[in-house]
Amino acid sequence: MAQKVKLSTIADSLGLSTATVSLALRDSSLVAEVTRERIKQSARDLGYIYNRRAASLRTSKSGILGVCVHDIMNPFFGEILKSVEDELDRRRQTFILCNHHDELAKQRSFVDTMLQLGADGLILSPAIGTPASDIHLAEENDLPVTLIARTIEGSGVCGFRGDDAYGMGLAVDHLIGRGHRSIAMIGGTAMTSTGRDREAGYRAALKRGGIEFRDEWRVEGPRDRHSGFDAVSAFLAIEKRPTAIVCFSDLVALGVMYGLSRAGLRPGVDIAVIGYDDIDEAAIATPALTTVANGQSEVGRRAAGALLDRLQGLPASEETILITPELKIRQSSEFAWPN
Amino acid sequence: MAQKVKLSTIADSLGLSTATVSLALRDSSLVAEVTRERIKQSARDLGYIYNRRAASLRTSKSGILGVCVHDIMNPFFGEILKSVEDELDRRRQTFILCNHHDELAKQRSFVDTMLQLGADGLILSPAIGTPASDIHLAEENDLPVTLIARTIEGSGVCGFRGDDAYGMGLAVDHLIGRGHRSIAMIGGTAMTSTGRDREAGYRAALKRGGIEFRDEWRVEGPRDRHSGFDAVSAFLAIEKRPTAIVCFSDLVALGVMYGLSRAGLRPGVDIAVIGYDDIDEAAIATPALTTVANGQSEVGRRAAGALLDRLQGLPASEETILITPELKIRQSSEFAWPN
DNA sequence: CTGAAAGCGCTTACAG
DNA sequence: CTGAAAGCGCTTACAG
């Protein structure tokens, strides 16, 4: 590579000052139309590359947003990210992705990097065990945070997620309405707000239906397809086997259906299965999976919107917004259960 | 937020110079052990945040690597990313992710951002239609590139991917060995090196087996689960329906299996199905999916390693390294076909 | 409408 | 072992 092209290279080649060049490249009306065009042309010709860190050092704005979630490969997040991305694209913001795998250390190192780069904001699905003070640290250092999918007690920032207790209630109500009297719940952990709320919704619905909860019905843990598959053996070991299963997520449910098939049981015929999230795959799975649509794209769009509004100086909210979920009935829970 | 804490804040509070503080925080042996500790303690106490853009402006190193692929949600990339990440973590490098969705504009905007931030290197699975000149532009501006999964004619940079023609040949040979004489191939496009190579491997294997290829056997296009599912109707419309299907990827194969089941056909019994990639799900799918293990983790690890080596001054290679794939035989192609 | 000058917060020779 | 000074490439008042 030859010499680095900078503002002064352009300025010198045109006999102008760097101030004028800088303004022109940012389309300032302070610079005459003709001059502006000459400058832009010259920048192209010389192969000028804007030095964002110099600019950012001067202005203390970076034009960068961070997005950090625990599992980028989970279609649930995929759908959130897609809508975050669409919203940010629409508003012409660059963003940077991070996958923290629910490891607090990874999340911290990413937040640190964002701080060091002077990122303008952060959209975060917090790792298990994230203390409110981590959020405060970011906020105190001029990094506004918006939470998605999970929220944190006392964080003092706004967040968007589905109404998990209500949504899981819809699923269980539906099964009870179909005649089921023994319903297991597979997956999720009490370490996240999502896990706690979905389990609470499950238990509340059983109670509403006059069904007494039994400890053995609750298979905690699984949060992905593979662990859902593995959990089937624990389920099959339940003494009086439940006739229906609600799962923590679609991914878990799809794994569970694979596992049931492996064991010679037909999901949707021998046993009802319901997922959560309504990911794209739910509709094409065979049998098609009954599930709870969780408003991913609304979560993503609104979270991005809220952050951008705040960056533009609108007042910050501290609210957690709950998106209302919706039951999607498909084959996997279609058949009424004979009592 | 109060006043921003910077090197000079620490220096002033301790009656030292910023030079000493800067050296101490980076563990330079030029600074006395005791002084170093005092400085670090003070930095912690004051809540000092390193300003990476100032440092980077001065040194023109940023300590950041970019990783950009077309589909972050595809487990195939998930596995590559995991091993890239492990390798980078091991060598304590920060990296930034991007999903270009095979849109050249998105990829360019990310590469631009990397250039503007002065990123140290880039690992890229190039979007369809990426011209070699895009790679040259990055390289000329001091952004070393390593390609993964796909390669580009004339890019002049090193790349890592599976030996797709060979791998697809293994799959087709296996089917022929099981007695199949009519084999369809679903998915993939001639616009990527992967698509071209896998199709070439398929055709070569048919020829080796003395089977004449028929146009209608080739269902081009699908590259994800949903489009695999949708392609089943095209497959079922083939006049003399093939007895086996090789798919462009596991995702496509899993969608195809859903679609076949929907149509009342039993994959692995009525029809053989083979995928490509050996993603985690292949082994738990029911029936378990025969597939070609594509060495994702080796691709990721070696690509990251090659880039880091190059950053440390080792000579750049221009080679494309082909990882040798391996056939994994499972239920979905288990049964011999009666001739 | 354009230019000269200061400063963002670091690091790096160079002195001592 | 520590300090004074210059400079990375921008942008922003301030003049003119």
Side-chain angles (χ1 to χ4, degrees):
Chain A
M1 191 186 124
Q3 206 53 30
K4 196 138 224 155
V5 178
K6 43 192 173 176
L7 283 191
S8 63
T9 319
I10 303 177
D12 290 351
S13 87
L14 258 34
L16 293 167
S17 73
T18 57
T20 305
V21 174
S22 169
L23 290 167
L25 290 180
R26 282 171 300 135
D27 273 323
S28 162
S29 58
L30 288 177
V31 180
E33 175 75 38
V34 219
T35 321
R36 231 187 297 164
E37 280 315 317
R38 275 176 62 219
I39 290 175
K40 287 187 175 182
Q41 187 55 51
S42 168
R44 273 191 294 273
D45 294 346
L46 294 169
Y48 171 66
I49 289 178
Y50 180 64
N51 188 326
R52 225 186 243 249
R53 38 210 207 288
S56 161
L57 182 57
R58 178 62 226 252
T59 61
S60 65
K61 292 280 123 211
S62 66
I64 286 177
L65 294 184
V67 180
C68 191
V69 302
H70 49 276
D71 183 8
I72 235 165
M73 263 164 70
N74 186 326
F76 168 74
F77 278 114
E79 292 170 18
I80 290 188
L81 289 179
K82 185 76 189 104
S83 68
V84 165
E85 203 173 321
D86 288 346
E87 187 68 17
L88 296 182
D89 273 0
R90 223 169 52 71
R91 309 236 216 148
R92 319 210 86 264
Q93 267 277 353
T94 308
F95 75 98
I96 276 173
L97 226 51
C98 165
N99 205 2
H100 61 58
H101 302 288
D102 258 327
E103 294 171 33
L104 199 49
K106 282 232 164 101
Q107 173 178 299
R108 282 186 174 146
S109 127
F110 182 71
V111 173
D112 242 45
T113 302
M114 292 297 101
L115 249 15
Q116 296 176 357
L117 288 177
D120 296 339
L122 178 63
I123 294 180
L124 177 70
S125 168
I128 289 179
T130 304
S133 59
D134 277 24
I135 308 297
H136 300 152
L137 176 72
E139 287 273 341
E140 280 158 19
N141 287 286
D142 274 340
L143 181 66
V145 178
T146 295
L147 300 178
I148 50 172
R150 297 173 178 169
T151 47
I152 295 176
E153 204 73 34
S155 66
V157 300
C158 80
F160 296 83
R161 57 185 180 85
D163 187 342
D164 291 309
Y166 174 78
M168 192 51 97
L170 293 178
V172 175
D173 287 349
H174 162 70
L175 289 170
I176 294 174
R178 284 286 198 263
H180 294 276
R181 305 295 298 167
S182 59
I183 302 169
M185 174 173 174
I186 297 184
T189 154
M191 293 194 290
T192 66
S193 60
T194 323
R196 286 190 297 274
D197 291 359
R198 291 189 189 164
E199 178 166 345
Y202 158 73
R203 286 172 182 255
L206 288 181
K207 183 167 283 176
R208 269 201 302 280
I211 296 172
E212 199 182 341
F213 168 75
R214 304 168 64 135
D215 272 338
E216 61 204 13
W217 289 353
R218 181 70 183 102
V219 181
E220 245 185 279
R223 288 192 292 135
D224 60 24
R225 195 188 300 258
H226 208 127
S227 48
F229 177 83
D230 290 338
V232 168
S233 59
F235 170 77
L236 295 175
I238 299 177
E239 203 175 340
K240 287 181 63 185
R241 202 166 72 210
T243 60
I245 306 172
V246 290
C247 298
F248 172 71
S249 68
D250 283 354
L251 240 32
V252 170
L254 292 162
V256 163
M257 294 210 294
Y258 278 149
L260 292 171
S261 305
R262 228 20 114 73
L265 290 167
R266 293 161 298 172
V269 179
D270 300 316
I271 193 155
V273 178
I274 298 190
Y276 206 108
D277 289 341
D278 194 23
I279 62 174
D280 181 70
E281 185 180 345
I284 63 170
T286 304
L289 181 64
T290 295
T291 185
V292 180
N294 199 7
Q296 287 84 309
S297 61
E298 189 174 349
V299 167
R301 187 168 38 74
R302 292 183 62 182
L307 187 58
L308 292 175
D309 286 349
R310 186 166 162 206
L311 295 186
Q312 278 166 15
L314 279 84
S317 148
E318 300 194 5
E319 254 179 308
T320 292
I321 310 285
L322 294 183
I323 312 293
T324 303
E326 204 179 316
L327 185 69
K328 301 278 181 183
I329 299 173
R330 303 204 179 97
Q331 281 176 276
S332 70
S333 69
E334 214 169 42
F335 301 99
W337 195 259
N339 272 305
Chain B
M1 192 186 122
Q3 205 53 27
K4 196 137 222 155
V5 177
K6 43 192 174 177
L7 282 191
S8 63
T9 318
I10 303 178
D12 290 351
S13 85
L14 258 34
L16 292 167
S17 75
T18 58
T20 304
V21 175
S22 170
L23 290 167
L25 290 179
R26 282 171 300 134
D27 273 323
S28 164
S29 57
L30 288 177
V31 180
E33 175 75 37
V34 218
T35 321
R36 232 187 298 164
E37 281 314 318
R38 274 176 63 220
I39 290 174
K40 286 187 175 181
Q41 187 55 50
S42 166
R44 272 192 296 273
D45 293 346
L46 294 169
Y48 171 66
I49 288 177
Y50 180 64
N51 188 327
R52 223 186 245 248
R53 39 212 206 289
S56 161
L57 182 57
R58 178 63 227 251
T59 61
S60 66
K61 291 281 122 209
S62 65
I64 287 177
L65 294 183
V67 179
C68 191
V69 303
H70 49 276
D71 183 10
I72 235 166
M73 264 163 70
N74 186 326
F76 167 74
F77 278 114
E79 291 170 19
I80 290 188
L81 290 179
K82 184 79 190 101
S83 68
V84 165
E85 204 173 320
D86 288 346
E87 187 69 16
L88 296 182
D89 273 0
R90 223 170 51 72
R91 308 237 217 149
R92 321 209 85 265
Q93 267 277 353
T94 308
F95 75 99
I96 276 172
L97 227 51
C98 164
N99 205 2
H100 61 57
H101 303 287
D102 259 327
E103 293 170 35
L104 200 48
K106 282 231 165 101
Q107 173 178 300
R108 281 186 173 145
S109 127
F110 182 72
V111 173
D112 244 45
T113 302
M114 291 297 100
L115 249 15
Q116 295 176 357
L117 289 177
D120 296 339
L122 179 63
I123 294 180
L124 178 70
S125 168
I128 289 179
T130 304
S133 58
D134 277 24
I135 308 296
H136 300 152
L137 176 72
E139 287 273 340
E140 280 158 17
N141 287 286
D142 274 339
L143 181 66
V145 178
T146 295
L147 299 177
I148 50 173
R150 297 173 177 169
T151 47
I152 295 176
E153 204 72 34
S155 66
V157 299
C158 80
F160 296 84
R161 58 185 180 86
D163 187 341
D164 292 309
Y166 174 77
M168 193 50 98
L170 292 178
V172 175
D173 288 348
H174 161 71
L175 290 170
I176 294 174
R178 284 285 198 263
H180 295 275
R181 304 296 297 169
S182 59
I183 301 169
M185 174 173 175
I186 297 184
T189 154
M191 294 193 290
T192 66
S193 59
T194 323
R196 287 189 297 274
D197 291 359
R198 291 189 189 166
E199 177 164 346
Y202 158 74
R203 286 172 182 256
L206 289 181
K207 183 167 285 177
R208 270 201 303 279
I211 297 171
E212 199 180 340
F213 167 75
R214 304 168 65 136
D215 272 339
E216 60 205 14
W217 290 354
R218 180 71 182 101
V219 181
E220 246 184 279
R223 289 192 290 136
D224 60 24
R225 196 189 300 257
H226 208 126
S227 49
F229 177 83
D230 290 338
V232 168
S233 60
F235 170 78
L236 294 175
I238 299 177
E239 204 174 341
K240 289 180 63 186
R241 202 168 70 207
T243 61
I245 306 172
V246 289
C247 297
F248 172 70
S249 67
D250 283 353
L251 241 31
V252 170
L254 292 162
V256 163
M257 293 210 295
Y258 279 149
L260 292 171
S261 304
R262 224 26 110 75
L265 289 168
R266 293 161 299 172
V269 179
D270 301 317
I271 194 155
V273 178
I274 298 189
Y276 205 107
D277 291 340
D278 193 24
I279 62 175
D280 181 69
E281 184 180 346
I284 63 170
T286 305
L289 181 64
T290 295
T291 185
V292 180
N294 200 6
Q296 288 83 309
S297 61
E298 189 173 349
V299 166
R301 185 167 39 76
R302 291 183 61 181
L307 187 57
L308 292 176
D309 285 349
R310 187 167 160 205
L311 296 185
Q312 278 166 14
L314 278 85
S317 149
E318 301 195 4
E319 251 179 310
T320 292
I321 310 284
L322 294 183
I323 312 293
T324 303
E326 204 180 315
L327 186 68
K328 300 279 181 184
I329 300 172
R330 302 203 180 97
Q331 282 176 276
S332 70
S333 69
E334 214 169 44
F335 301 99
W337 195 257
N339 270 303

